[in-house]
Amino acid sequence: MKIALIGYGKMGQAIEEIAVAQGHEIVLKIGIENLGDFTVEAVAKADVAIEFTSPHSAVANIKKCFDAGVAVVCGSTGWLEQWDEVIAYCQEKQGAFLYASNFSIGVNLFFELNNYLAKIMAPHNDYDVSMEEIHHTQKKDAPSGTAITLAERVLEHIGRKKQWVNHISDNPAELEIISERIDPAPGTHKIKYHSEIDDIEIIHTAHNRKGFASGAVMAANFLNGKKGIYNMKQVLGL
């Protein structure tokens, strides 16, 4: 498989290492120092583009890949207010797109665990629920995309919570997400159910970027040759 890396920071370099070890070819690497090389013609050499950049550039990057007829695996977060626009453009171009707020296999299993726990905790009104997330200081968005995904699943099941907020809250209708930025933390997410009697917590802690990078390469393998819109649940068969 021929891969274009759109975003060549620490994550892009981790993806490159794993992809090359698996026998894939990196045909394009775009970082902050060579943005001029990111052309439709250049990215068209790839089978799949893996896009890990920033909220302000992700949508334009994704669209350019669709213009080139290249499938896109996207791990950038913070741009989802433009989700409908991107999906419509993908369909217009008859492209292939796979987005995940987190590509780690462990995190995606954690998503399922969180969903199940929220479902069984829903009737127990004596438990309040809150969240914490920790990332490195280069993380541009807060809360993280992973935290938002987790929070949305909680809100689906815990009807007494109406919205998430990214600050300490004493409003029982708000799901509190506390974000911390500490180097060199690659990512920790905690969901806590608290009552006067006891606490129930589930925690996922990433030790390095390898889990995210491995999942992104797995997603690219899955997407290669396909058309349409996909997610990590389909990649993992969950």
Side-chain angles (χ1 to χ4, degrees), residues 40 59-72 84-97 226-229:
V40 169
V59 171
N61 294 341
I62 294 163
K63 287 183 172 181
K64 185 175 289 187
C65 294
F66 290 153
D67 288 339
V70 174
V72 182
D84 290 344
E85 175 187 342
V86 167
I87 297 307
Y89 201 77
C90 178
Q91 292 169 337
E92 176 187 334
K93 295 292 183 176
Q94 298 184 327
F97 184 60
K226 290 183 172 66
K227 302 290 184 184
I229 314 301

Side-chain angles (χ1 to χ4, degrees), residues 90-223:
C90 178
Q91 292 169 337
E92 176 187 334
K93 295 292 183 176
Q94 298 184 327
F97 184 60
L98 193 155
Y99 167 78
S101 58
N102 195 309
F103 282 93
S104 163
I105 295 170
V107 164
N108 280 274
L109 297 174
F110 190 65
F111 284 155
E112 297 302 304
L113 178 61
N114 170 62
N115 190 61
Y116 180 72
L117 181 58
K119 188 183 300 183
I120 63 174
M121 292 300 294
H124 301 284
N125 294 333
D126 48 333
Y127 284 88
D128 194 20
V129 57
S130 61
M131 294 176 53
E132 296 178 24
E133 59 101 354
I134 304 170
H135 282 85
H136 52 81
T137 56
Q138 284 74 45
K139 179 75 172 169
K140 294 181 174 62
D141 53 326
S144 68
T146 300
I148 292 172
T149 299
L150 291 163
E152 288 173 345
R153 299 293 82 77
V154 171
L155 294 174
E156 281 183 12
H157 297 292
I158 309 295
R160 55 191 179 273
K161 295 294 185 182
K162 305 304 180 185
Q163 64 180 356
W164 61 261
V165 294
N166 193 213
H167 54 74
I168 295 172
S169 174
D170 57 6
N171 184 340
E174 292 179 339
L175 173 59
E176 174 184 297
I177 306 175
I178 301 304
S179 298
E180 294 186 66
R181 296 295 176 259
I182 303 170
D183 286 329
T188 295
H189 295 86
K190 176 169 75 174
I191 300 98
K192 178 179 180 179
Y193 290 83
H194 169 75
S195 76
E196 291 184 0
I197 297 171
D198 56 14
D199 293 346
I200 300 170
E201 296 180 343
I202 56 173
I203 302 172
H204 178 274
T205 301
H207 300 307
N208 52 54
R209 290 181 173 82
K210 290 182 180 179
F212 307 101
S214 295
V217 175
M218 180 186 296
N221 266 315
F222 173 88
L223 196 61

